[in-house]
Amino acid sequence: MRKPMRRLLVINPNTSASVTEKIETLVKEETNNQILVETVTADFGFSYISSRTATAIAAHAVLDAAARAIAEKTTPDAILLACFGDPGREALEEMTGLPVIGFAEAGLLAASELSSQSLVMTNGAIWCDMLWELILKLGISDRIAGVHSIENVANDPALIARYVSSEAEKAGVDRVILGGAGLIPYLPEVIAQASVCVIDPHRIAIQKAVALANAHEPATSEQDHSLTDGKMNIKGLSPLLTAALKGA
């Protein structure tokens, strides 16, 4: 008997529908119809996440989006958190009991397994600090030469390729991890034109999410993911998120 196709929930933590479209296009291209994909966009927050405040709000929005998607559709087998910074990843995993893969963590861990150091680059100076904190948390700082921003470079693949190549040469490495959902459309050309190896963490994360979805064993009805003991009051959250936190 043929097994039903596994499901992947993809969440864009910012409120930009155009970014969601770019993410969905990449996911469907990478998965090649081998998995059922549902892509959702955060209902509230920032259209571009570029501060710690925006990141904190995005983490809440991610939980809310997951609760809504799971309540309205069949529970997925894995969740892809489509932001190179992974806001709310651990909380989302705790709330749902599902494998949750983030663009940043997946890309960084893959790079850490390679034979030499890599340079991480993204669009936004604040992300440099937050990504370095993630690198320290993952215990891979010896594998990463630094985190640099490309925010002062125009959205032109040739200019981005030249800049990342120059920064890699200055850092003494021959590999760059270039992440950020907004950069997805430019990455194929950047990879083709750069004089150093450019790793696409988004594709790595998608592949990992699909593998975990295919390996996932759906929860039985007896498993309880409630985060309350029945005595806690929850105020001000959406009804669906409140229900999810109570294990409904």
Side-chain angles (χ1 to χ4, degrees):
M1 183 176 177
R2 187 176 180 181
K3 291 183 178 180
M5 288 182 70
R6 295 303 178 101
R7 294 176 176 270
L8 177 65
L9 173 61
V10 182
I11 303 177
N12 174 16
N14 69 50
T15 60
S16 172
S18 63
V19 170
T20 302
E21 290 175 7
K22 295 170 186 174
I23 293 166
E24 184 172 51
T25 297
L26 179 68
V27 172
K28 289 186 174 180
E29 174 190 321
E30 193 69 18
T31 57
N32 194 29
N33 297 319
Q34 298 302 304
I35 194 167
L36 296 174
V37 177
E38 180 193 1
T39 309
V40 297
T41 308
D43 271 344
F44 57 87
F46 291 71
S47 60
Y48 176 68
I49 303 169
S50 59
S51 66
R52 291 184 185 273
T53 301
T55 303
I57 293 169
H60 177 184
V62 160
L63 296 176
D64 199 76
R68 169 169 45 87
I70 291 172
E72 294 174 353
K73 305 277 186 176
T74 303
T75 300
D77 295 288
I79 299 175
L80 177 65
L81 188 50
C83 172
F84 194 64
D86 308 347
R89 193 199 69 77
E90 292 172 324
L92 185 56
E93 199 165 64
E94 178 186 71
M95 183 182 81
T96 63
L98 297 169
V100 179
I101 299 82
F103 279 167
E105 185 177 83
L108 292 171
L109 288 176
S112 74
E113 296 173 356
L114 300 175
S115 59
S116 59
Q117 284 191 321
S118 303
L119 182 67
V120 178
M121 302 191 74
T122 191
N123 195 0
I126 188 63
W127 280 116
C128 295
D129 291 338
M130 291 192 287
L131 285 168
W132 188 252
E133 289 164 10
L134 176 57
I135 289 163
L136 291 173
K137 183 177 180 180
L138 294 172
I140 59 172
S141 59
D142 61 321
R143 311 303 301 151
I144 305 298
V147 185
H148 296 186
S149 173
I150 66 164
E151 63 185 327
N152 293 321
V153 183
N155 287 332
D156 178 281
L159 294 178
I160 295 172
R162 190 180 311 156
Y163 185 72
V164 299
S165 300
S166 173
E167 291 297 291
E169 183 178 352
K170 291 176 187 176
V173 300
D174 56 10
R175 184 188 307 111
V176 171
I177 307 160
L178 182 58
L183 294 170
I184 285 173
Y186 307 109
L187 269 168
E189 289 186 63
V190 172
I191 291 169
Q193 296 184 48
S195 61
V196 295
C197 173
V198 177
I199 293 177
D200 184 342
H202 318 98
R203 292 183 187 272
I204 290 171
I206 294 166
Q207 293 165 4
K208 185 174 182 179
V210 171
L212 289 174
N214 285 329
H216 179 242
E217 292 298 331
T220 65
S221 58
E222 289 78 19
Q223 289 178 290
D224 180 15
H225 296 298
S226 171
L227 300 180
T228 72
D229 60 5
K231 299 176 182 177
M232 297 180 187
N233 290 323
I234 301 176
K235 293 182 64 176
L237 303 181
S238 70
L240 290 176
L241 179 55
T242 299
L245 295 172
K246 291 183 176 180

